[in-house]
Amino acid sequence: MTEQIIRMEVMRYRPEQDEAPWLQSFDVPYSDDMSVLQGLNYIKDELDESLSFRWSCRMAICGSCGMMVDGVPKLACKTFLRDYPGTVRVEALHHFPIERDLVVVLDDFMEKLERIQPYIIPRQEQALSEGEYLQTPTQLERYAQFSSCINCLLCYAACPQYGLDSSFLGPGAIALLHRYNMDSRDGASEQRMELVAAEEGVFHCTAVGYCSEVCPKHVDPANAVNLNKTRAAGDYFLRFAKPKGRCQ
Amino acid sequence: MNRPLKRSNAPIFWGLFGAGGMLAALLGPMLIFITGIAVPLGLLLPRSAMNYAAMLAFARHPLGKGFIFIVIALFLWHAAHRLFHSLHDIGIHGGTLAKLLTYGLAAAGTVIAAGALLATGF
Ligand code: FES
């Protein structure tokens, strides 16, 4: 494999000395099998150990290496330097406050994640002695796609509406919310509806669809958001027709 | 996101937008063809198909009235919603003023259309 040189323009922001983010250029030797993440690791190991970025699994599983590569939200470990002949620009994910260099502040998303109750809330609590909550392959299929989310936040960086108003619950959280609503073992979709139908909910979305385009796990959050628009509209108009409370 | 959640009224506008969009997609091109090309040029349809007497009769028939009203009102609501969100997208977050200029105009158009159709008589 021949070794080539690529110029990596990397966003730097060190709050104690930089007033605003800026781009620093590094010449990085690379081979065809090297990812953008490996390029960054080369910089950190050989050129400037002060560069900060998040990563862990190196195999598109942990979701920590999301960044803008030539302006497009990408996982650095799943993006290859060979696809950017000459120069590549690496910046922190759009639409999030920057903590340092390529590291963004995730607090807003973490809070949203908590609010969607991303866990199974059984319709009826089952005693241990009754065994597992069983599920057929068909029931699994209804939510399987939406369960592939790795919380990498590329969809948030892609979403123009989240960029304009970050009170929007956003594509990733809604896809995950939908995943639990669609699970036959879960009975909390009505609780989650409050959030879906709220001003922060699905109606922020203007069906741009870029979130689904950039999703590295093919979750299709745009589909989840738009399915929930229909559900929320149904809930809006039919809520008075629905029986209230529990039967005794 | 900590403030208490408020239910969004968007379903009303989103519903009108969706209905208008579907109608525009289904009927829009055909209406443009009939009213703008076919009848004025006498292509396929006789020019007399849209003369005053014919159109008056159409507007006086309950079904004709309903058709005209729905086409005007829903097209307007569709356009209003689209414009409102496009304004937001290009950075004009006009709030009440933007709402008045978009949804307000659609509402006014709806009322005017209804009034005119009623005034046409039966
Ligand atoms: S390092 Fe885990 S997803 Fe890239």
Side-chain angles (χ1 to χ4, degrees):
Chain A
M1 236 176 290
T2 51
E3 233 182 42
Q4 297 152 284
I5 302 284
I6 187 169
R7 167 148 300 191
M8 292 185 73
E9 298 176 346
V10 183
M11 182 191 272
R12 301 302 308 267
Y13 176 64
R14 297 150 303 175
E16 70 282 356
Q17 47 179 314
D18 298 329
E19 232 159 70
W22 55 286
L23 290 176
Q24 185 173 6
S25 293
F26 299 96
D27 288 331
V28 176
Y30 75 103
S31 49
D32 277 352
D33 59 351
M34 263 175 77
S35 65
V36 171
L37 178 64
Q38 280 174 291
L40 292 172
N41 272 325
Y42 178 89
I43 297 173
K44 188 154 177 91
D45 293 343
E46 310 290 338
L47 306 174
D48 186 343
E49 60 178 16
S50 73
L51 182 65
S52 300
F53 51 97
R54 286 197 182 104
W55 63 282
S56 174
C57 71
R58 311 183 316 274
M59 48 195 282
I61 292 293
C62 73
S64 34
C65 68
M67 43 193 85
M68 308 301 292
V69 180
D70 269 5
V72 178
K74 295 267 190 194
L75 292 180
C77 67
K78 199 175 177 255
T79 307
F80 289 87
L81 290 172
R82 61 170 185 259
D83 295 326
Y84 301 85
T87 323
V88 64
R89 199 173 72 247
V90 185
E91 295 158 292
L93 269 188
H94 279 174
H95 303 161
F96 291 96
I98 301 173
E99 192 154 322
R100 185 176 195 88
D101 297 339
L102 301 170
V103 175
V104 293
V105 182
L106 300 176
D107 298 3
D108 180 56
F109 177 71
M110 291 305 169
E111 195 199 313
K112 283 171 176 160
L113 198 55
E114 219 171 292
R115 294 201 72 173
I116 61 163
Q117 302 181 284
Y119 34 81
I120 289 168
I121 304 174
R123 217 174 291 272
Q124 203 122 52
E125 203 72 56
Q126 212 164 282
L128 261 188
S129 57
E130 289 173 78
E132 305 90 342
Y133 294 90
L134 295 177
Q135 194 164 58
T136 66
T138 319
Q139 288 171 327
L140 168 74
E141 217 163 275
R142 291 187 71 207
Y143 70 85
Q145 178 196 9
F146 302 105
S147 70
S148 310
C149 175
I150 55 172
N151 301 342
C152 65
L153 305 190
L154 299 194
C155 54
Y156 282 80
C159 175
Q161 296 307 333
Y162 182 73
L164 283 168
D165 181 354
S166 65
S167 71
F168 176 31
L169 190 52
I174 293 174
L176 209 54
L177 175 151
H178 191 64
R179 175 250 174 276
Y180 287 96
N181 279 355
M182 287 293 105
D183 194 314
S184 57
R185 298 162 296 180
D186 181 273
S189 55
E190 248 172 76
Q191 284 174 44
R192 297 192 189 98
M193 179 53 80
E194 200 196 342
L195 201 53
V196 170
E199 284 182 344
E200 295 85 347
V202 287
F203 290 106
H204 265 272
C205 165
T206 49
V208 173
Y210 192 33
C211 52
S212 295
E213 224 172 280
V214 303
C215 177
K217 307 304 277 188
H218 308 293
V219 171
D220 201 353
N223 185 27
V225 175
N226 284 290
L227 287 172
N228 279 286
K229 279 185 194 169
T230 316
R231 290 166 74 104
D235 185 70
Y236 185 89
F237 293 111
L238 301 177
R239 71 199 133 128
F240 304 111
K242 273 194 284 191
K244 289 251 157 60
R246 262 170 243 211
C247 36
Q248 302 290 322
Chain B
M1 288 217 6
N2 275 326
R3 61 199 169 87
L5 293 172
K6 221 176 121 213
R7 188 187 272 273
S8 164
N9 284 320
I12 299 174
F13 303 103
W14 182 74
L16 288 166
F17 166 77
M22 170 127 70
L23 210 63
L26 290 175
L27 301 182
M30 182 192 76
L31 282 176
I32 291 173
F33 178 74
I34 294 175
T35 61
I37 300 170
V39 173
L41 297 181
L43 281 172
L44 303 173
L45 292 165
R47 286 190 183 207
S48 59
M50 282 185 66
N51 65 21
Y52 182 76
M55 291 323 293
L56 187 65
F58 184 71
R60 282 190 163 159
H61 191 279
L63 285 179
K65 266 194 209 312
F67 179 81
I68 295 173
F69 177 71
I70 282 181
V71 164
I72 293 179
L74 288 183
F75 276 37
L76 277 175
W77 283 101
H78 178 79
H81 189 77
R82 171 82 75 211
L83 287 174
F84 180 72
H85 280 278
S86 301
L87 284 176
H88 175 73
D89 287 349
I90 58 171
I92 303 173
H93 316 300
T96 316
L97 180 66
K99 275 188 190 149
L100 264 179
L101 284 176
T102 52
Y103 298 126
L105 280 181
T110 303
V111 172
I112 292 170
L117 283 167
L118 286 176
T120 319
F122 290 84

